[in-house]
Structures are given as C-alpha cells and as structure tokens.
Amino acid sequence: SGGWYVGGSFLSVNGSSPQLVIRLEPDGSLDTSFNANFGTYQSGEVQTLAVSNGQLFLGGTFMMNANSY
C-alpha cells in the first residue's frame, strides 16, 4: 500500500507525540491509524528496522520498567 516506516527518538511529528516509530503515507502525511504500542516504554531510540512477511522488527536501545533492553 506504499508509505514508509521511520524510527528514531521523536519529540513531535505533525503535532502528535509518537513513541519510537511512525508510519508515513505515500504522500508524506502521518498515518494516524498506525500505533506501535510499546506498553510501559519510558525512553529509547530505534536505530534500525526491517519489515519481513508483514511484520515490523525494531532494533535499538529501549528503556522499559527501569530495565534497559
């Protein structure tokens, strides 16, 4: 369906506060229906991502429940 996944550490994207990854529509607008639910996520940064068989995989540094992963 087109579009892009963008990972990183965001403060704001088009006025919203995403967590670690966003999806952009083919026209570059934010896909507001995409929600990468990270549960108890506290901080972190996506440094790499891949899509395989319809699944999105993220790599980076993540802080959840005071434990670093």
Side-chain angles (χ1 to χ4, degrees):
S1 66
W4 302 272
Y5 293 102
V6 180
S9 178
F10 306 102
L11 296 177
S12 177
V13 177
N14 288 345
S16 70
S17 297
Q19 292 188 359
L20 299 172
V21 63
I22 60 172
R23 184 178 181 286
L24 298 176
E25 299 286 1
D27 67 1
S29 64
L30 182 64
D31 179 352
T32 57
S33 68
F34 177 76
N35 180 8
N37 184 355
F38 288 97
T40 58
Y41 153 83
Q42 292 175 343
S43 65
E45 180 178 11
V46 172
Q47 297 167 344
T48 187
L49 50 85
V51 177
S52 178
N53 295 323
Q55 292 184 323
L56 178 62
F57 297 89
L58 307 175
T61 305
F62 311 105
M63 179 72 80
M64 302 171 89
N65 287 332
N67 294 311
S68 192
Y69 295 93

